[in-house]
Amino acid sequence: MAHHYIYEPLETPTTLRLLTATEGIWARGDGVPDFELDHYEAALMRSNYTALSYVWGSSVRTHTIRLNGKIFHITANLWHFLSGLEPTAEGRLWWIDAICINQEDPDEKSEQVHGMRDIYENSSRVFASLIPEPDTDAKHVIDSINMAADVMQKERSKYPDGKVTQNVVAPMPHANDGPLWRDYRKFTNHGYWSRAWIVQEATTARLTTIQYGRHCTTVEDVYLFYEALNHISRTNADYSHLGQTHSGKAARLFSIRNKRKQSTAHRLLDILLEFKDLSSSDARDLVFAAMSLVGQDIDGGMRPDYRRSFAETLKDFATQFLRGSSRPLDLLGFCGTRTYKLELPSGWPSWVPIWTGASTNPHLPTSPNNYFQKLSRQPQGDGVPIYAAWPEDIPGLQVEKASRDQYIRINGNTLSVRGFVVAEIETMGMCLGDVSSEEREALQRDYSSRAVFTVLRNWVPKDLEAAYPFTGETQWDAFLTTIVADMTIANDYGAQRGGKAALQLPLDASVNGDNVWSENVGRVLVPLNLHRFAVTSRGHFALVVHQAEIGDMIVALAGGEVFYILRWKEEINAFWLVGECYLHGFMDGQAREYVMERPDALRWFHMK
């Protein structure tokens, strides 16, 4: 009778298991390979093992190996790798999560996942195993990547300032080599690049080798090829049809890798937003994987706990972020009314973001989202916020000097934040979702379609030459600044104030300026799609999220860099968080006058 392998408990939190191919891996002749699985102290094994990175695929365990002479079942994808180990691999130590972590023990799994970053960083290398699709010329793809990466590396050595010359064209596949580019797309869209843990596995290790079929490259060489392709697609007409469309899912890895280098407090939210389209056999891993990368951004951190449900994990993260982040209210930009693919418990708090599934939730620039395509990836400068809506010198509540619980409290599903009401939404324009179906279909074909102009004309104030009372500029200038949230592009990953300078249009564009708007459609398309132009009860111009309604409150919350839209709901006896708001002329603390009007202006807002 065959005996099945039973895990021995790990002795300490820093103990790990490592797998070794035995001397006679196939010696029994029954098609079941033999491996040894032993315990090691992590500190003593630094750089002495290889960590495997692969796509789990189906969770059904269809194949068999032996661990210490006992039967152990594995998935088909893991079998594909282990069954292909060459004799030279005998004696090498491997760390493979599906084997080295007892997946049936939630306590051990939580402890090991908490230390996953160290496991990968302390390995000698990460070995990624990718299975090509049938009829893919894997050799041609990998050879092309390696040759182009070699030239890019020489360019970097020659030009430390980042300059790239046309030398990179020579090793690139011909622009019209259809079969090669088809196979390259298969490689960059491989399911491997969509895994939640790939970001950690491929960006924390010293070296990540990628085996595609029987041919090898490195993550760094794939990145260099990606850079070379993007460069020549912008500078060489023959390659203009390629560019990022051929970078596939792999491009997300490089985007997240760049964000990891940022030193800003909100980068964890930025990375989580990128993670929402990644895949994982366990949805909780989307949060745990991101936390393992940059969890130090939150005081006290957050340890993985596989005894908690996915919904509980999301609430745990939101609570910990609000209590431990240096910029707690950044979280609220990722909340509010959204469209989900995920079914959630009834009564889900509006202040707890969902980090999976499709979302139509817009974010103003304090939330590091792709606001104007590649805008708002980080604040301007080195961690300096773009906006500062909350006044610094409010009597009774100076946030910098106050303890956190003096202005933010969490009790079950209720988030309470101190603040004050600025105004209510009195009138509001349309967004692209309001135009006719014919116009929306046209927009899919041409971003300069009539749908854009329909919305813009609906937004334009009536008395354009009159003064905007809060800044003294004309209403036309105030309008132009408002619809781009007083922001312009600083670089590929950042933003800076001064949107009006990037959107200076003649007054007649408000009536008959289709050509002018067409030239600026890239600046206004995202606001049109996800926001509405609004005027408040006090006459402010505002850019509000598209789910806002007339009568919603615009409030300043303690420490918030933007304003927030809240809606009172009798059925929950609390406020519902709708989203963020840009209020023109008040993004640098000017709302202080409203809290000074009366002693009771400062109050608690209870959100569910």
Side-chain angles (χ1 to χ4, degrees):
M1 179 179 177
H3 294 282
H4 288 77
Y5 179 79
I6 299 176
Y7 283 97
E8 292 289 333
L10 295 172
E11 291 82 2
T12 71
T14 58
T15 302
L16 73 162
R17 300 185 184 91
L18 295 174
L19 183 79
T20 314
T22 61
E23 229 176 276
I25 182 172
W26 299 102
R28 300 190 190 224
D30 58 359
V32 180
D34 276 273
F35 299 90
E36 296 293 333
L37 188 64
D38 298 302
H39 294 193
Y40 298 85
E41 187 58 35
L44 301 177
M45 300 308 296
R46 188 184 298 268
S47 302
N48 286 325
Y49 61 91
T50 299
L52 180 67
S53 178
Y54 70 105
V55 178
W56 272 47
S58 171
S59 60
V60 179
R61 297 172 180 259
T62 55
H63 292 72
T64 302
I65 61 172
R66 290 190 185 89
L67 295 180
N68 303 345
K70 306 294 178 61
I71 294 298
F72 187 84
H73 299 296
I74 61 174
T75 63
N77 281 6
L78 183 52
W79 171 260
H80 180 272
F81 169 74
L82 291 177
S83 62
L85 282 176
E86 301 291 340
T88 55
E90 294 180 1
R92 177 185 293 172
L93 293 170
W94 290 88
W95 188 86
I96 303 172
D97 57 355
I99 295 175
C100 297
I101 298 176
N102 182 357
Q103 302 292 328
E104 304 303 318
D105 182 344
D107 292 329
E108 178 186 307
K109 188 176 179 182
S110 299
E111 191 67 51
Q112 289 283 292
V113 169
H114 178 66
M116 195 93 81
R117 176 174 178 163
D118 290 337
I119 290 173
Y120 280 97
E121 284 186 340
N122 293 332
S123 66
S124 59
R125 67 168 176 162
V126 171
F127 189 90
S129 177
L130 280 67
I131 305 173
E133 292 183 16
D135 303 322
T136 299
D137 190 343
K139 182 179 186 304
H140 195 181
V141 170
I142 298 302
D143 286 349
S144 298
I145 289 173
N146 291 339
M147 287 189 291
D150 183 60
V151 172
M152 277 293 289
Q153 191 63 56
K154 292 176 181 176
E155 292 280 285
R156 281 183 165 182
S157 300
K158 189 182 302 183
Y159 304 106
D161 61 353
K163 177 183 176 182
V164 178
T165 71
Q166 287 302 305
N167 291 337
V168 299
V169 177
M172 294 293 284
H174 193 279
N176 294 322
D177 187 347
L180 182 280
W181 291 114
R182 178 201 64 205
D183 288 346
Y184 176 69
R185 282 198 303 274
K186 290 180 182 178
F187 172 71
T188 58
N189 282 297
H190 192 282
Y192 174 77
W193 305 106
S194 297
R195 295 177 57 247
W197 289 108
I198 170 59
V199 182
Q200 178 171 255
E201 296 164 2
T203 63
T204 59
R206 304 171 199 176
L207 173 68
T208 300
T209 299
I210 297 176
Q211 183 181 46
Y212 191 49
R214 293 185 174 274
H215 310 282
C216 292
T217 185
T218 66
V219 163
E220 184 61 26
D221 282 353
V222 176
Y223 179 61
L224 289 172
F225 184 89
Y226 164 79
E227 279 195 330
L229 180 57
N230 282 340
H231 172 75
I232 65 172
S233 68
R234 294 192 303 266
T235 59
N236 188 303
D238 292 339
Y239 289 85
S240 60
H241 63 291
L242 299 175
Q244 293 195 16
T245 58
H246 282 66
S247 300
K249 298 173 182 176
R252 187 178 299 276
L253 169 67
F254 306 134
S255 174
I256 295 174
R257 186 174 81 162
N258 287 334
K259 290 181 179 62
R260 285 194 65 212
K261 298 176 182 178
Q262 299 172 15
S263 59
T264 57
H266 69 232
R267 62 181 177 156
L268 175 57
L269 300 178
D270 203 354
I271 288 176
L272 272 167
L273 189 65
E274 293 274 7
F275 267 44
K276 77 180 184 65
D277 293 322
L278 298 181
S279 60
S280 175
S281 56
D282 188 328
R284 294 170 293 187
D285 284 338
L286 296 171
V287 176
F288 296 152
M291 285 292 295
S292 68
L293 286 172
V294 287
Q296 65 271 24
D297 288 347
I298 301 179
D299 290 343
M302 175 181 167
R303 299 178 70 89
D305 187 349
Y306 286 95
R307 293 168 301 183
R308 305 280 286 171
S309 68
F310 177 54
E312 289 171 330
T313 298
L314 294 177
K315 290 182 185 178
D316 291 345
F317 170 78
T319 299
Q320 190 62 38
F321 190 92
L322 287 163
R323 287 174 173 164
S325 171
S326 61
R327 293 168 54 179
L329 295 193
D330 278 7
L331 182 84
L332 302 188
F334 296 85
C335 306
T337 307
R338 294 167 50 144
T339 299
Y340 303 106
K341 293 179 181 177
L342 187 69
E343 289 189 9
L344 295 170
S346 60
W348 185 261
S350 61
W351 54 271
V352 177
I354 310 300
W355 299 106
T356 59
S359 168
T360 58
N361 189 39
H363 312 288
L364 279 177
T366 52
S367 302
N369 183 39
N370 195 359
Y371 184 64
F372 294 121
Q373 302 309 314
K374 289 191 175 182
L375 196 58
S376 335
R377 295 295 187 177
Q378 63 186 25
Q380 65 182 28
D382 185 15
V384 179
I386 299 174
Y387 306 122
W390 179 259
E392 293 182 354
D393 56 347
I394 292 181
L397 183 56
Q398 295 185 9
V399 170
E400 294 298 322
K401 298 179 181 179
S403 61
R404 186 65 55 89
D405 64 0
Q406 286 183 289
Y407 61 94
I408 295 179
R409 296 175 184 172
I410 301 170
N411 182 16
N413 283 348
T414 302
L415 168 67
S416 301
V417 185
R418 290 183 77 186
F420 58 91
V421 176
V422 175
E424 292 185 0
I425 298 175
E426 188 168 88
T427 62
M428 194 166 56
M430 63 196 305
C431 67
L432 282 177
D434 300 328
V435 301
S436 68
S437 58
E438 293 79 12
E439 287 179 314
R440 281 199 299 272
E441 290 173 6
L443 185 64
Q444 299 301 316
R445 300 188 298 271
D446 178 11
Y447 283 165
S448 297
S449 70
R450 300 295 306 175
V452 172
F453 311 129
T454 298
V455 174
L456 282 169
R457 291 203 179 94
N458 174 263
W459 283 13
V460 173
K462 294 180 180 179
D463 194 356
L464 299 179
E465 297 185 80
Y468 180 65
F470 306 104
T471 62
E473 63 193 320
T474 66
Q475 291 200 15
W476 174 242
D477 286 338
F479 168 72
L480 292 179
T481 308
T482 301
I483 66 174
V484 294
D486 188 22
M487 183 176 32
T488 188
I489 297 172
N491 52 53
D492 283 347
Y493 296 98
Q496 65 185 14
R497 296 289 286 276
K500 184 173 66 173
L503 191 63
Q504 291 182 334
L505 302 179
L507 190 62
D508 60 4
S510 63
V511 180
N512 189 23
D514 289 4
N515 292 335
V516 176
W517 285 117
S518 296
E519 296 169 2
N520 289 275
V521 71
R523 293 279 292 138
V524 299
L525 185 61
V526 176
L528 288 169
N529 188 35
L530 299 177
H531 298 82
R532 301 176 188 274
F533 176 77
V535 179
T536 75
S537 54
R538 293 178 182 259
H540 312 102
F541 286 1
L543 191 66
V544 301
V545 291
H546 68 91
Q547 307 96 332
E549 297 177 0
I550 292 174
D552 285 347
M553 289 184 181
I554 296 176
V555 303
L557 297 178
E561 294 156 22
V562 297
F563 294 95
Y564 300 89
I565 302 172
L566 301 183
R567 182 179 304 152
W568 177 257
K569 287 196 170 185
E570 292 289 348
E571 61 270 28
I572 60 174
N573 194 34
F575 286 100
W576 180 265
L577 175 65
V578 179
E580 293 179 316
C581 169
Y582 169 87
L583 203 64
H584 186 55
F586 288 83
M587 302 306 292
D588 297 295
Q590 296 94 328
R592 182 179 187 273
E593 62 181 274
Y594 296 136
V595 75
M596 299 298 292
E597 287 179 343
R598 60 182 194 278
D600 62 343
L602 198 61
R603 52 172 287 192
W604 286 96
F605 291 92
H606 305 292
M607 290 170 270
K608 290 184 179 179

